Amino acid sequence: ADPATASQPLRGLNVLVTAGPTQEPLDPVRYLTNHSTGKMGYALAASAAELGAHVTLVSGPVALAAPDGVDVVHVTTAQDMFEAVSDAFAAADITVMAAAVGDFRVEEVSPEKIKKEGRESITLRLVSNPDILAWAGGRKRDDGSQVLCGFAMETENLIRNAARKLASKHCDMLVANNLREEGAGFATDTNVVTVLTPGTSDLSTPQIERWSKMDKTVLAKRLMLRLAAMRG
Ligand code: CTP
Ligand code: CA
């Protein structure tokens, strides 16, 4: 085989990755967010680029440098992330959503700083954000030319919750991890995942593979190669 093709099996493919948390503003000085550091998503984007893909990384606010050769689109809110993904999705051959997207935002962002004086409590009314992965699953081409992968971090009922997400969001792969598992979770350099793919005969019964603990960079490369192979 051509050595360039052998070391760059994703050459010619467009890869879209989401990473990091979102920030949902409450007022000009405060926001709602989560503990995502972006490590898994950045590792996926870096691997895809090393394997020869053209990579667009839609990233929430993180402290990581842009991986070499990756186009980074910086976003803040879930709505921003949705817009960036909707611009890039049609051109993507492989899409991996590793972002920890805020499920809710405040219904009305206060234009001024919320003041505490005279208040024993306050109530924030939250409304739901668009589900970006579900949106993508609903509009991916049905000729197999677009492969879609989601992530799920759970604290209980890992397989049941992940299987539901795989099916309801029309993913080709769902990578699930348990927050409380040793070697998994936020800000770690390793991850322990269970990989779910749709069953071949019975779509409601996914195929389930438990992968051993590995460095996020090693895991990222394995996932990218697997997703590229699924595209055929
Ligand atoms: N996701 C997304 N847009 C959202 C919420 C989630 O694209 N508004 C994606 C995440 O990037 C991830 C997958 O959906 O790839 C699963 O996210 P998760 O938060 O685990 O699932 P939810 O469907 O939001 O369910 P819940 O938070 O209730 O477990
Ligand atoms: Ca969620």
Side-chain angles (χ1 to χ4, degrees):
D2 174 358
T5 322
S7 67
Q8 298 211 303
L10 270 61
R11 211 187 176 88
L13 295 183
N14 287 322
V15 171
L16 172 63
V17 178
T18 69
T22 62
Q23 289 179 355
E24 306 298 329
L26 307 184
D27 70 11
V29 294
R30 306 180 179 101
Y31 54 81
L32 295 175
T33 191
N34 58 67
H35 293 296
S36 172
T37 60
K39 274 187 185 167
M40 192 67 240
Y42 274 59
L44 287 157
S47 288
E50 278 166 27
L51 294 167
H54 175 268
V55 184
T56 303
L57 172 60
V58 178
S59 175
V62 297
L64 302 173
D68 284 345
V70 169
D71 288 340
V72 185
V73 181
H74 293 282
V75 298
T76 305
T77 65
Q79 187 62 41
D80 296 342
M81 186 172 277
F82 176 64
E83 282 162 25
V85 168
S86 49
D87 286 346
F89 182 68
D93 301 300
I94 299 172
T95 301
V96 188
M97 299 212 185
V101 184
D103 292 325
F104 297 95
R105 65 178 182 277
V106 291
E107 186 171 42
E108 272 181 79
V109 179
S110 171
E112 305 300 337
K113 188 181 178 200
I114 298 167
K115 302 303 283 182
K116 69 183 179 189
E117 199 187 334
R119 289 171 153 164
E120 277 304 312
S121 68
I122 62 167
T123 302
L124 296 173
R125 184 175 165 76
L126 305 180
V127 296
S128 62
N129 275 327
D131 189 317
I132 305 164
L133 179 59
W135 174 87
R139 73 182 354 245
K140 75 175 164 148
R141 292 185 295 274
D142 56 15
D143 60 2
S145 63
Q146 280 186 302
V147 171
L148 182 62
C149 174
F151 270 72
M153 184 182 279
E154 305 290 348
T155 59
E156 58 179 358
N157 304 322
L158 181 79
I159 302 291
R160 178 149 45 95
N161 286 328
R164 191 182 300 143
K165 288 172 189 177
L166 175 77
S168 68
K169 304 189 194 216
H170 304 286
C171 295
D172 302 295
M173 181 187 285
L174 201 291
V175 181
N177 57 151
N178 181 343
L179 176 61
R180 304 214 171 97
E181 175 131 7
E182 198 276 308
F186 297 112
T188 54
D189 288 323
T190 57
N191 206 347
V192 186
V193 300
T194 301
V195 175
L196 290 84
T197 49
T200 40
S201 51
D202 177 8
L203 285 175
S204 62
T205 310
Q207 288 187 290
I208 300 168
E209 290 174 31
R210 181 168 160 97
W211 291 12
S212 56
K213 178 166 108 177
M214 65 187 90
D215 211 83
K216 281 179 178 170
T217 56
V218 175
L219 173 62
K221 184 170 179 184
R222 291 199 189 172
L223 288 172
M224 290 312 317
L225 289 173
R226 177 69 84 88
L227 290 166
M230 289 175 82
R231 209 174 152 272

